[in-house]
Amino acid sequence: MVEIVQNGHPVLRETAQEVAPEEITGEKIQKVISDMKSALASQKDGVAIAAPQIAVPLRIFVVAGKIFDPVWEEGQEPENPEPDMVFINPVITKRSKTKKWMHEGCLSVRPLWGEVRRSTNATLEAYNEKGEKITRGAGGLLAHIFQHEVDHLDGVLFIDNARNVEEGPVPE
Ligand code: ZN
């Protein structure tokens, strides 16, 4: 099983390094991606994971395909999950001025939950796991995830900017 590191581990506070685009399809990076996917799949309430959370200081994050399943509810097994989405060297190129306090937790900051003010829409440029350049606009949960995950790559945890932080449930 791939271990998810917890707050206090120094790798979570590092600025993660860019991946050389020509190395994306190589064995080393593909192994990191598959480790991230299995770590994420092991967490019932996990919607995304960044490489530093498995102690790899690289600019990669993975979004669970289950969030694209229209009937999926948090904490439940997805019925029709889409493939997980991989974002490498992601850069948020646009953030809406409209912001909202959104409830969030983190697989590396168990068992805390809190509210963070996030843009409601965001556009991200990145490479996918095949090494292709992609641009993805998002609103709602996906925009929220983009901001949380890019923060991870800059050594920022949600508790740094959160209000009303309290302990919440952790699934078995
Ligand atoms: Zn997190």
Side-chain angles (χ1 to χ4, degrees):
M1 201 170 135
V2 185
E3 196 201 340
I4 297 176
V5 299
Q6 293 298 305
N7 185 21
H9 192 299
V11 72
L12 293 172
R13 294 306 193 174
E14 276 181 46
T15 300
Q17 300 295 304
E18 293 213 338
V19 178
E22 65 276 12
E23 287 179 13
I24 291 173
T25 53
E27 211 175 306
K28 185 183 144 215
I29 299 301
Q30 292 295 315
K31 170 79 166 66
V32 171
I33 292 169
S34 93
D35 284 352
M36 290 171 70
K37 287 180 179 176
S38 30
L40 182 56
S42 74
Q43 305 294 304
K44 251 194 166 174
D45 60 343
V47 291
I49 192 166
Q53 295 182 270
I54 60 160
V56 175
L58 291 174
R59 304 190 79 82
I60 306 172
F61 71 82
V62 174
V63 176
K66 67 189 176 196
I67 75 152
F68 303 107
D69 177 351
V71 298
W72 177 72
E73 282 176 51
E74 211 162 307
Q76 303 299 307
E77 290 295 334
E79 276 181 38
N80 298 297
E82 304 223 350
D84 294 341
M85 285 189 78
V86 179
F87 298 92
I88 301 164
N89 300 347
V91 175
I92 294 178
T93 54
K94 263 189 236 166
R95 288 171 198 256
S96 63
K97 286 201 188 102
T98 309
K99 292 184 176 181
K100 250 194 197 164
W101 287 95
M102 311 218 305
H103 193 240
E104 63 187 82
C106 179
L107 301 176
S108 295
V109 193
R110 300 285 202 189
L112 300 181
W113 289 79
E115 290 170 19
V116 182
R117 208 166 136 75
R118 302 282 193 192
S119 292
T120 55
N121 289 77
T123 302
L124 187 90
E125 286 181 10
Y127 291 92
N128 65 16
E129 62 196 304
K130 295 180 199 152
E132 299 159 342
K133 265 245 162 194
I134 51 166
T135 301
R136 176 85 193 218
L141 179 59
L142 188 57
H144 186 180
I145 290 172
F146 282 173
Q147 295 165 80
H148 178 110
E149 298 307 317
V150 170
D151 277 354
H152 268 302
L153 306 182
D154 294 326
V156 174
L157 297 175
F158 84 93
I159 40 170
D160 301 349
N161 302 300
R163 70 176 190 186
N164 299 335
V165 175
E166 55 183 21
E167 290 193 11
V170 176
E172 285 135 43

